[in-house]
Amino acid sequence: LRASVSFEKSAQKSYSCPGLLGTDAMPRPNNKSATGETDTGMVVDQEWLEGVSFADLGGHDVLRKEGALCDELLETDPELGDGCEGDGLGLSFESDTESESLEYDFEDLDGEVESDAELRRQNLRGQLIFLVREFFDSDPGYLKKSLSVLNKEAAAFQKAGDNMSAIAAYAKLFAKVAKKRLTHPELYVTHCNRSSAYLKLELFEEALWDAMQCMKLAEEELGRNAQVAHQMFVKSHAKKGLALLGLERYRAASSVFNQGLQMDPFSKEMKRGLEEAQRKILEELLTGKSQRIKALPSTRPFQGQRITMQPYSAPLHKIRNEDMLPRQLLTPFQAENDYHVKDTYNYMTVQGDVRMPKAHFTFLEDFHRHELFREAIFKAVGDISKDRDCRVLNLGAGAGLNTMMCLEAGARHVTAVERWLYLAMSSKEVLLSNGFNDDQVKVIYKRPTDLALLKDVPVICNLLLCDILDDGLLTSGLIPAAKHALSELMTDQAVVIPCSATVYVQAGQVQNTEVCGFDVSCMNRHRWMPAFASGAPFDDKSFVPLSAPVEVWQFDMLTPPEEASRDSLDLKFSRSGVFNAVRFWYDLHLYDNIHLSTGPEAVEMGLKSLRPAVQFMKGQMVVREGDVIPLTAMHNTVRIKFDIEDAEFSSLTRPDASFPQNQFSFLSDTIRNEAYYRAIERVVARMKGEGKEVHALDMGCGSSLLSMMAARCGADSVVAAELHDGLCDTARHIVARNGLSDKITVVNKDVGLLERGTHIRALGANLVVADFFDSGLLHDNFMFLLERVKSRVLQQDYNIVPAAATIYCMGIESFTKDVQGFDFSSFNKYRWDKDYEAVDLSTLRHRKLTKPKKVFEFFFQGDRKGRSRENVLKLEVVNPGHMNAIIFWFDLHLDEQETITSAPPGIEMGGVVTQDYGQLREGSASGAFEDNDDGTFIASDAFVGEKKGYAFKKGELGQGYYVDFPCGRGEQQNASFSLAEAEEAIEPPLQDGHHWGQALQYLERAVRVQPKKRITVLAKREGNVIKFSLKEGVGSRVGKAPWKVEWGGGASVENPHYQRVHYCQLLVSDFLMRLRSKRFPPIEKDMKMMLANCGNLFLDPAVVTEVYHEFVVLEMIHGQPEFCPGASLEAITKRILKFS
């Protein structure tokens, strides 16, 4: 045979492999190759080995040089040169039946040492040499036989269990193919058969070569004989994976098995192989054998490099930003005008304009930050005003709060600069409503680096207030903005707030290891973000500190850095764990002795708008207490990055910007997980008690947690359907690691397109488990997909967990009026949106106005119908105020005994109030609502008798009578209770930290409500969305954001703000059309460029990260061969309330 391949010439090892291949032990060579073999199992071909004498062939090399051996034998016997033409192979896969392929009769080698295993294989190869010669000598006329006859002879030996003779017989077939220059469309079948024989003999190198040849030939034949070729192509993955297992290349084997399962999710051979590979990987992690080096460190010392801008004519489409820390930055002018990136940049700009006002409410509610800035501003303005007029340049003015503080402190003039359009418009509006005129302040909508003296800034300034801050300090453009202002717009002795910033870093562990007894550690390889975790707070309980904080840099804002920095610092670990993340924060020296920290302690003190940034490392590393590891800290003036260059990782992360980060929130929701486990166990036990088999379907399996619960509770089979490719692969690994591959099949398919006989057994499934819900229950198209599943794959008498759901609602007031003594009422128009949003009510500044009320009931199991699509509600008012929003949540009835709820704190299942919320506000923030002249509180030093409708107590407003309210389920109970009675009542623990949150919808009309009255609200289900509205003519219309006003109906040219947002929709449509052509690079390339240059382009990192994620998910969905209308972008990109 004229074929040869390089195999690893390394020491052979023996290892124990019980249960996988029908043996207790299996010897394998080491996987450290000197030939450049890749980690995916691909090997590099070498030159043909010619002129090798039979005597020179050693036992280890004989099968690699089989082609040379056959040529030599043919040359020594010239009579064999005359043969007949091939008459068709007529091949069949004789040896690989379903049962036989799983049982390899290896002998027990537990006591065999390494040298004995190597010697045994060498002897085996030597025996094959002489057996091949014997077969050639005994059949000198084999060239005259047809390929079909030669194949049948070899297959007969293999079926009889004589694998040695089968391999020798196959040698004659391939010798004829080589000598006669023959080919056959099904030659790959023979390679697959011979690979099986090699696996039985534990000759894994040779088996790997044949499996790869089978894979190559079958792939070439797919267009001509798709059915047989596809079958063999899938089986070749099984053979290749088993061979890699024998070679101790567990990660490569796991990857190959996973690829095979994508084509045949029901293959028992590959599912068991993946399970064994995961078990071996886990053993290596526990023993520390599987340490992996990401990259070798550079031997050149780092020299500070000056940060410059990209040349004007630079080809931006060829620039790569793999390290996300460029030394040449993209300028805003290039981003706006370059053909390749201008659409992406313009889209990011418009998205920032429309998303930043909503995020700015968090800033306005950050009283901790306001107090410190107020103190620093008053001191700085007072010191400057002693000998000259104070003229302020306020960069990052937002809605104008800091600007008004400066004017209130005595500044002569303030130039307020805001990069975002609608924040600049709001700033002007708020300043006018608070009595400040154009002589005192000038508002400019520009990027800070585009400012010019006189044209924009009327006079040179002596106080620079630079509030361009984010969690990552530099990522919003703090240094470029300050550097430009100090050089062009400020006096020489200018005062800067903040005057310096000190950065600290701390090593930590963010892991999910075990949930309800299941090992889900494979999910940790997706702990990755393109920059750092931003846009949502990070759960402090999820980050486990492993070291003390270490100071990294100190930035002097009077002399901002112009060069990149690269420093190495030692991290000394104070506790053992798995190091996979760092969190960093900074201490801002505002002025004098006033400091603002963004560290964990400051968050506990009430800091809301800034928090520590969490960056995930390139892999996971097991550390011990007392270990010291050098951490490399880098920055390029617009971004901070940390790395460990010379490190051995137990596993590497898998960068995937489309991965839904809310999956970690699901795993961290202990109450939800345990409740699902109990309900599934009861349902499966009941079905088993009725004598039924249980065949389950997990709709949108995610990490496959619910699937494993069903399998461990006794389900006979489970099909876990998942649309996301990366999540589907991880689910397979998790199932394999938990030893449930024999019951669970993970299918990478839209759940709405599942078919009987293809993805699910022909008789269908009779149990459905699902957590396909958002904060408003139905927005992820669960009802639509459930109907599709019912009609396509479910049996008539199916069961479903959850079985039903009930939605409750409550009227609230969420309104920003007074901030540091300034009126911000006009800014509330940016709250309204036609769709609801997910919120954590415990962190939202609000007042509860009404009792909870049941809205809708949905029955997922059976034919029972809930209420109609509309319902008129009579909400009973318990607190006075302006009702401008409805908060709603759901109770999820898993079965007859188990119910979980997404209700806010203070309310339990069934809408029962367990906490007096008459005066409850957000957290412990003071000053939320101080207007109590409406009868909600009557001050009294002592109890002077009962007052109807009031309860005497000591509350947040002091001692006195507070409005009391009835509690109960719906309107059945009317008895009031006092605070003492509430404390004596036995209450279940409040559900804290569920991942759904509550749904908040702002009403188009706001209405003034009074206690003991009822307000009518109409609830209407429109498609997969529930909407609330007041009766027509009730209340007054609320203000709306400029881009949400559709003048003239539809896209009217009269409203340019609406047209800007519509322009974004056109860009998305154009992107989807280009996506189908498959001629353009992935959108991730453009997104990386935007994120890497975020600080110099003055984009918001949280907005860029959100848009980045949305586009790669959109690209992933539309890259699928097919998907049903129920596949929604929102289901994968839903906003998470907290990183877990």
Side-chain angles (χ1 to χ4, degrees):
L1 176 64
R2 297 290 300 248
S4 178
V5 68
S6 66
F7 288 103
E8 301 157 351
K9 298 181 179 180
S10 55
Q12 309 292 320
K13 294 183 179 179
S14 63
Y15 80 111
S16 176
C17 181
L20 170 64
L21 305 177
T23 179
D24 293 331
M26 183 189 308
R28 297 177 291 187
N30 197 349
N31 62 342
K32 296 182 180 179
S33 172
T35 61
E37 186 167 348
T38 65
D39 192 49
T40 59
M42 303 300 294
V43 291
V44 184
D45 291 334
Q46 290 182 336
E47 299 293 334
W48 304 116
L49 302 177
E50 301 287 355
V52 181
S53 64
F54 187 79
D56 293 336
L57 291 173
H60 190 268
D61 298 328
V62 58
L63 298 179
R64 305 178 190 174
K65 304 177 182 179
E66 186 181 34
L69 172 60
C70 295
D71 284 347
E72 180 181 299
L73 293 175
L74 292 172
E75 290 172 0
T76 56
D77 192 349
E79 293 182 3
L80 300 181
D82 298 327
C84 61
E85 296 182 1
D87 56 354
L89 197 54
L91 299 180
S92 62
F93 199 73
E94 303 288 352
S95 64
D96 193 18
T97 63
E98 187 64 37
S99 60
E100 188 178 1
S101 65
L102 298 175
E103 301 294 336
Y104 295 92
D105 298 327
F106 296 124
E107 58 180 302
D108 188 355
L109 299 174
D110 284 342
E112 198 171 37
V113 296
E114 193 171 312
S115 58
D116 293 338
E118 170 65 14
L119 180 61
R120 188 179 64 83
R121 281 192 291 273
Q122 294 286 17
N123 291 337
L124 190 61
R125 291 186 174 102
Q127 294 174 28
L128 280 173
I129 292 175
F130 293 102
L131 187 59
V132 169
R133 163 168 276 192
E134 181 181 339
F135 267 65
F136 277 105
D137 291 343
S138 63
D139 190 9
Y142 75 95
L143 287 178
K144 297 180 180 180
K145 296 180 180 179
S146 67
L147 295 179
S148 178
V149 172
L150 293 174
N151 179 70
K152 287 180 180 179
E153 291 178 359
F157 285 116
Q158 196 166 359
K159 294 177 83 173
D162 189 354
N163 294 294
M164 297 277 286
S165 299
I167 293 173
Y170 282 127
K172 294 192 298 180
L173 185 150
F174 288 112
K176 177 175 179 177
V177 170
K179 182 66 177 179
K180 294 296 185 178
R181 309 289 184 188
L182 300 177
T183 186
H184 193 279
E186 295 182 3
L187 194 61
Y188 50 82
V189 180
T190 306
H191 280 291
C192 194
N193 284 338
R194 190 167 68 166
S195 179
S196 296
Y198 281 136
L199 286 172
K200 292 288 186 72
L201 297 175
E202 303 173 16
L203 298 177
F204 302 111
E205 296 174 343
E206 292 80 1
L208 177 62
W209 184 84
D210 267 314
M212 293 177 63
Q213 284 296 105
C214 174
M215 189 181 299
K216 176 184 176 183
L217 296 175
E219 186 176 11
E220 294 173 353
E221 199 66 24
L222 284 174
R224 292 184 288 269
N225 187 5
Q227 184 175 0
V228 178
H230 181 267
Q231 181 186 5
M232 290 299 104
F233 187 65
V234 173
K235 287 183 178 292
S236 65
H237 281 79
K239 306 305 177 190
K240 180 179 177 181
L242 293 172
L244 289 169
L245 271 180
L247 295 172
E248 292 187 353
R249 298 181 56 188
Y250 307 124
R251 296 181 186 273
S254 176
S255 176
V256 170
F257 285 131
N258 192 58
Q259 293 172 11
L261 286 170
Q262 290 178 0
M263 295 176 284
D264 183 9
F266 296 91
S267 172
K268 293 183 179 179
E269 185 176 22
M270 285 188 286
K271 284 163 73 172
R272 291 183 62 187
L274 179 61
E275 199 170 292
E276 179 63 19
Q278 286 297 312
R279 189 176 69 83
K280 286 296 178 181
I281 292 173
L282 186 59
E283 287 181 4
E284 288 190 340
L285 292 176
L286 295 176
T287 57
K289 292 172 59 179
S290 181
Q291 302 298 306
R292 308 175 72 191
I293 297 178
K294 176 69 175 178
L296 294 176
S298 173
T299 57
R300 295 177 297 177
F302 177 83
Q303 296 180 352
Q305 182 177 354
R306 185 180 177 86
I307 299 299
T308 59
M309 303 300 153
Q310 289 284 357
Y312 175 77
S313 59
L316 300 186
H317 63 287
K318 295 184 179 180
I319 297 174
R320 297 185 178 273
N321 297 281
E322 298 302 329
D323 65 344
M324 301 295 289
L325 211 69
R327 298 294 186 268
Q328 286 187 310
L329 301 177
L330 185 65
T331 64
F333 179 81
Q334 290 173 310
E336 288 178 332
N337 295 277
D338 185 85
Y339 172 78
H340 299 280
V341 300
K342 65 179 182 180
D343 285 344
T344 305
Y345 177 70
N346 290 335
Y347 185 90
M348 289 288 187
T349 301
V350 176
Q351 290 299 308
D353 284 337
V354 300
R355 298 189 192 205
M356 287 302 292
K358 180 76 77 171
H360 200 65
F361 283 104
T362 305
F363 167 81
L364 293 179
E365 296 166 7
D366 193 345
F367 303 107
H368 177 80
R369 178 176 178 177
H370 298 335
E371 291 295 337
L372 292 174
F373 263 89
R374 183 185 186 89
E375 184 180 357
I377 289 171
F378 269 74
K379 281 191 175 183
V381 172
D383 291 344
I384 295 174
S385 300
K386 291 178 180 179
D387 53 1
R388 60 189 186 278
D389 290 338
C390 180
R391 301 183 182 274
V392 182
L393 176 61
N394 182 13
L395 302 181
L401 177 61
N402 289 338
T403 301
M404 291 187 290
M405 288 183 184
C406 292
L407 293 171
E408 186 183 29
R412 178 66 179 271
H413 186 273
V414 178
T415 303
V417 182
E418 178 52 52
R419 186 259 184 274
W420 302 111
L421 173 61
Y422 300 112
L423 286 182
M425 292 173 59
S426 298
S427 178
K428 182 70 173 178
E429 190 174 358
V430 169
L431 285 165
L432 291 175
S433 65
N434 282 275
F436 298 104
N437 55 47
D438 293 342
D439 293 335
Q440 296 173 285
V441 61
K442 181 179 182 181
V443 180
I444 301 174
Y445 164 55
K446 266 191 177 182
R447 288 182 293 262
T449 50
D450 293 340
L451 295 174
L453 191 61
L454 299 182
K455 178 182 178 182
D456 300 312
V457 183
V459 64
I460 196 166
C461 301
N462 49 25
L463 174 58
L464 175 61
L465 177 56
C466 195
D467 195 5
I468 308 178
L469 301 172
D470 63 89
D471 298 345
L473 181 62
L474 307 181
T475 331
S476 293
L478 175 66
I479 288 181
K483 184 166 59 176
H484 176 77
L486 290 171
S487 62
E488 303 292 337
L489 309 171
M490 307 299 295
T491 62
D492 294 338
Q493 302 297 324
V495 175
V496 180
I497 299 177
C499 59
S500 68
T502 305
V503 179
Y504 298 89
V505 66
Q506 183 179 36
Q509 168 183 307
V510 184
Q511 293 274 304
N512 286 103
T513 54
E514 187 176 288
V515 177
C516 295
F518 297 100
D519 181 1
V520 295
S521 56
C522 290
M523 287 287 289
N524 293 315
R525 64 184 179 179
H526 291 288
R527 294 279 187 184
W528 177 84
M529 296 288 287
F532 52 84
S534 61
F538 206 97
D539 187 1
D540 291 335
K541 299 178 182 178
S542 298
F543 187 93
V544 180
L546 299 179
S547 72
V550 180
E551 183 178 329
V552 187
W553 297 293
Q554 186 170 15
F555 296 100
D556 185 356
M557 301 311 300
L558 288 171
T559 56
E562 298 183 356
E563 293 184 345
S565 174
R566 183 191 188 98
D567 299 291
S568 180
L569 50 108
D570 290 337
L571 284 179
K572 184 175 181 180
F573 290 87
S574 56
R575 62 186 297 177
S576 301
V578 179
F579 170 42
N580 69 331
V582 295
R583 68 177 176 186
F584 62 97
W585 63 90
Y586 49 92
D587 180 83
L588 286 176
H589 182 196
L590 298 178
Y591 185 77
D592 198 12
N593 59 348
I594 305 170
H595 291 259
L596 170 63
S597 173
T598 65
E601 297 82 4
V603 174
E604 293 179 0
M605 293 172 59
L607 183 67
K608 294 183 62 175
S609 57
L610 296 171
R611 59 188 68 88
V614 176
Q615 181 203 313
F616 294 104
M617 309 307 291
K618 295 178 180 178
Q620 303 179 48
M621 180 187 305
V622 179
V623 295
R624 306 295 180 197
E625 182 179 354
D627 289 352
V628 178
I629 294 178
L631 179 71
T632 301
M634 300 165 281
H635 80 79
N636 64 345
T637 71
V638 294
R639 185 168 180 263
I640 292 174
K641 181 181 177 182
F642 298 93
D643 196 5
I644 299 179
E645 296 186 335
D646 187 9
E648 293 182 345
F649 296 101
S650 58
S651 62
L652 300 178
T653 57
R654 290 193 175 183
D656 183 1
S658 69
F659 189 83
Q661 294 293 320
N662 53 27
Q663 290 295 322
F664 297 111
S665 300
F666 296 170
L667 296 176
S668 301
D669 194 341
T670 305
I671 295 177
R672 167 256 193 189
N673 297 334
E674 293 177 350
Y676 262 95
Y677 205 171
R678 292 190 295 268
I680 291 173
E681 185 177 22
R682 282 191 295 268
V683 172
V684 172
R686 187 182 71 245
M687 295 175 68
K688 288 285 187 178
E690 296 172 355
K692 298 179 181 179
E693 291 185 350
V694 179
H695 300 278
L697 168 65
D698 186 354
M699 295 175 58
C701 68
S703 62
S704 72
L705 179 63
L706 301 184
S707 301
M708 293 188 293
M709 290 177 181
R712 189 164 288 182
C713 289
D716 297 280
S717 69
V718 182
V719 173
E722 176 57 50
L723 178 64
H724 192 281
D725 299 343
L727 191 53
C728 191
D729 294 345
T730 301
R732 288 196 188 97
H733 286 85
I734 292 175
V735 169
R737 184 160 290 188
N738 286 276
L740 297 172
S741 296
D742 57 333
K743 289 188 175 183
I744 301 176
T745 299
V746 182
V747 178
N748 186 196
K749 191 74 173 178
D750 185 346
V751 69
L753 299 177
L754 297 177
E755 297 179 357
R756 293 195 186 198
T758 303
H759 309 107
I760 293 182
R761 70 188 196 116
L763 296 178
N766 58 0
L767 173 62
V768 175
V769 293
D771 182 359
F772 214 80
F773 311 106
D774 72 323
S775 60
L777 187 68
L778 303 178
H779 205 313
D780 291 348
N781 291 323
F782 175 73
M783 298 294 286
F784 173 82
L785 292 173
L786 181 60
E787 292 300 321
R788 298 266 301 193
V789 168
K790 286 180 182 179
S791 62
R792 296 168 71 94
V793 298
L794 289 188
Q795 298 177 1
Q796 291 294 328
D797 56 340
Y798 69 91
N799 289 275
I800 181 170
V801 179
T806 306
I807 293 182
Y808 295 88
C809 77
M810 178 174 60
I812 67 169
E813 174 183 292
S814 181
F815 192 77
T816 299
K817 182 179 181 181
D818 183 277
V819 180
Q820 295 294 305
F822 301 107
D823 183 12
F824 275 82
S825 300
S826 61
F827 193 70
N828 286 285
K829 62 185 176 183
Y830 293 103
R831 290 184 180 274
W832 185 87
D833 196 351
K834 65 179 181 178
D835 297 323
Y836 63 79
E837 60 183 284
V839 298
D840 180 0
L841 196 61
S842 64
T843 63
L844 179 71
R845 186 168 178 251
H846 71 284
R847 174 190 287 166
K848 300 181 178 72
L849 301 179
T850 73
K851 290 171 51 180
K853 182 75 172 179
K854 182 189 293 186
V855 184
F856 289 118
E857 290 179 327
F858 298 97
F859 299 95
F860 307 137
Q861 182 170 322
D863 298 328
R864 184 180 176 186
K865 301 295 183 181
R867 296 187 180 182
S868 62
R869 289 180 172 267
E870 293 186 2
N871 191 15
V872 178
L873 309 174
K874 297 288 188 178
L875 301 183
E876 184 175 345
V877 181
V878 295
N879 280 320
H882 282 88
M883 192 175 77
N884 68 329
I886 297 291
I887 193 82
F888 62 102
W889 63 93
F890 58 86
D891 287 358
L892 208 56
H893 310 294
L894 304 181
D895 64 354
E896 296 85 353
Q897 304 179 35
E898 199 80 39
T899 298
I900 53 179
T901 182
S902 64
I907 301 175
E908 66 175 33
M909 291 174 288
V912 177
V913 178
T914 61
Q915 195 178 88
D916 182 352
Y917 61 58
Q919 297 296 328
L920 183 64
R921 300 166 178 86
E922 172 254 326
S924 59
S926 60
F929 295 94
E930 299 179 359
D931 50 332
N932 289 282
D933 55 352
D934 45 20
T936 61
F937 169 67
I938 302 175
S940 178
D941 295 332
F943 181 75
V944 293
E946 182 179 354
K947 291 182 180 293
K948 188 175 181 180
Y950 288 83
F952 181 81
K953 61 183 178 181
K954 186 174 182 179
E956 294 181 0
L957 300 179
Q959 185 168 288
Y961 289 86
Y962 290 79
V963 169
D964 201 2
F965 57 93
C967 77
R969 188 178 303 272
E971 298 179 8
Q972 298 175 3
Q973 300 180 11
N974 296 315
S976 62
F977 66 96
S978 66
L979 181 63
E981 292 169 341
E983 291 176 348
E984 293 174 359
I986 300 176
E987 302 173 1
L990 296 179
Q991 299 198 33
D992 183 24
H994 56 75
H995 67 275
W996 294 296
Q998 295 82 41
L1000 174 65
Q1001 183 194 331
Y1002 289 99
L1003 301 172
E1004 291 198 10
R1005 291 175 175 270
V1007 60
R1008 179 79 177 179
V1009 295
Q1010 293 293 334
K1012 305 303 179 181
K1013 302 292 184 181
R1014 293 179 183 270
I1015 182 72
T1016 303
V1017 175
L1018 174 63
K1020 186 176 181 180
R1021 178 187 166 196
E1022 298 179 357
N1024 59 347
V1025 178
I1026 297 174
K1027 294 187 176 181
F1028 296 87
S1029 62
L1030 298 175
K1031 288 176 60 177
E1032 190 67 29
V1034 175
S1036 57
R1037 290 193 176 275
V1038 300
K1040 296 182 181 180
W1043 68 88
K1044 294 177 182 176
V1045 179
E1046 304 176 23
W1047 290 3
S1052 171
V1053 294
E1054 297 179 14
N1055 187 354
H1057 301 289
Y1058 181 83
Q1059 290 295 332
R1060 292 180 80 240
V1061 178
H1062 184 63
Y1063 166 70
C1064 289
Q1065 299 172 358
L1066 296 178
L1067 288 178
V1068 174
S1069 301
D1070 180 65
F1071 164 71
L1072 294 178
M1073 287 190 294
R1074 290 189 287 113
L1075 182 63
R1076 295 186 179 278
S1077 69
K1078 300 186 182 299
R1079 291 169 35 217
F1080 295 89
I1083 191 65
E1084 191 167 5
K1085 180 177 180 294
D1086 289 347
M1087 295 297 169
K1088 281 186 175 180
M1089 180 175 292
M1090 293 296 106
L1091 193 56
N1093 295 274
C1094 183
N1096 209 51
L1097 300 176
F1098 295 96
L1099 298 173
D1100 184 73
V1103 172
V1104 175
T1105 303
E1106 288 178 7
V1107 175
Y1108 187 169
H1109 178 56
E1110 290 169 4
F1111 267 88
V1112 293
V1113 169
L1114 199 63
E1115 190 174 51
M1116 183 272 296
I1117 293 176
H1118 286 265
Q1120 298 284 338
E1122 56 178 346
F1123 57 90
C1124 76
S1128 65
L1129 175 70
E1130 293 79 8
I1132 302 178
T1133 62
K1134 68 180 67 172
R1135 176 177 173 265
I1136 59 176
L1137 301 177
K1138 188 175 290 187
F1139 286 102
S1140 301

